[in-house]
Amino acid sequence: MMMIYDLKDVFISFSPFFFVCLFAGNIISVLMFLSPVKTFIRIVKNKSTEEFESLPYICTLLNSSLWTYYGIIKPGSYLVSTVNGFGVIVEIIYVSLFLTYAPPKLKKKIGVLAGILDVGFFVAAISVAQFVLTGDARIDVIGFMCSGLNIVMYGSPLAAMKTVVTTQSVEYMPFLLSFFLFLNGGVWTFYAVLQQDWYLLVPNGMGFLLGIAQVALYAIYRDRKPKPIDIEEASHRQHLLPTSSA
């Protein structure tokens, strides 16, 4: 059930400054959601998930679903819900492709995990928020969960950054992904400061700082030749997804 916005919230939401900020954030977030498309084209072409990990996509689906609900119940956050609603659709496609092309044993594991997190946990969280909590308490609980998940997921690039330092090469940290992480964290941090929304500010502020660190590492190591590294270990690190938006 969508809450009714008061006139102040509507005015702020539709002011040109806020609209431009949110529009830019939505465009960048969409590009981040679409960044793994090349990976899934490879999966479909080879009819195999190879060494790619499904967990980041399953977690991103849960996070995007909760942020969509958060954007719906919080006045003035409609664009937070729209971009994450798009993310939900994209992540459902990604998880479905894993269920289609993963080996039989792994397929069952992926199905159970997706069922527990993306269906069971999500339905339980929304049910409690919708039928037990009211008003600000509902927004606070969902916002806290979203923020916590974002913090965990923003930490995923740390493995790639460690690989860069170890190999002294950016081969396993694509520049565009790092750049979009930097832009996404920066835009949503700026918006969160203006809106005084701590649930958006904390995780995206961390993402912004990690984005700066990744771009800095890229500038330092971009021209260096890579040192040898275990191929299987590297393959697990390079395919971690960015966090969902907002």
Side-chain angles (χ1 to χ4, degrees), residues 10-66:
V10 172
F11 176 76
I12 291 176
S13 299
F14 282 92
S15 66
F17 184 72
F18 274 86
F19 182 79
V20 169
C21 180
L22 282 174
F23 183 76
N26 273 247
I27 294 298
I28 295 169
S29 298
V30 166
L31 293 174
M32 288 186 64
F33 280 126
L34 295 177
S35 62
V37 165
K38 186 176 180 180
T39 294
F40 284 93
I41 291 176
R42 172 177 169 177
I43 288 175
V44 173
K45 183 178 179 180
N46 296 335
K47 299 185 184 303
S48 171
T49 56
E50 301 176 38
E51 296 297 325
F52 295 105
E53 292 286 345
S54 62
L55 183 59
Y57 302 93
I58 293 172
C59 292
T60 301
L61 175 56
L62 173 61
N63 202 24
S64 296
S65 300
L66 289 174

Side-chain angles (χ1 to χ4, degrees), residues 15-158:
S15 66
F17 184 72
F18 274 86
F19 182 79
V20 169
C21 180
L22 282 174
F23 183 76
N26 273 247
I27 294 298
I28 295 169
S29 298
V30 166
L31 293 174
M32 288 186 64
F33 280 126
L34 295 177
S35 62
V37 165
K38 186 176 180 180
T39 294
F40 284 93
I41 291 176
R42 172 177 169 177
I43 288 175
V44 173
K45 183 178 179 180
N46 296 335
K47 299 185 184 303
S48 171
T49 56
E50 301 176 38
E51 296 297 325
F52 295 105
E53 292 286 345
S54 62
L55 183 59
Y57 302 93
I58 293 172
C59 292
T60 301
L61 175 56
L62 173 61
N63 202 24
S64 296
S65 300
L66 289 174
W67 275 120
T68 300
Y69 181 70
Y70 178 83
I72 291 174
I73 64 175
K74 182 172 181 179
S77 299
Y78 60 97
L79 286 181
V80 173
S81 63
T82 56
V83 70
N84 282 285
F86 173 80
V88 169
I89 296 173
V90 173
E91 298 303 326
I92 287 176
I93 294 173
Y94 292 160
V95 173
S96 297
L97 289 174
F98 265 100
L99 290 172
T100 301
Y101 294 108
K105 292 183 179 180
L106 186 58
K107 186 180 299 185
K108 182 178 180 180
K109 180 181 178 181
I110 294 172
V112 170
L113 190 59
I116 292 174
L117 293 179
D118 296 329
V119 179
F121 183 85
F122 175 71
V123 171
I126 299 304
S127 297
V128 171
Q130 195 67 29
F131 301 111
V132 177
L133 304 174
T134 59
D136 290 341
R138 177 185 299 164
I139 296 174
D140 289 341
V141 169
I142 295 297
F144 183 80
M145 285 192 291
C146 290
S147 184
L149 282 171
N150 253 21
I151 290 173
V152 171
M153 295 174 66
Y154 260 129
S156 65
L158 291 174

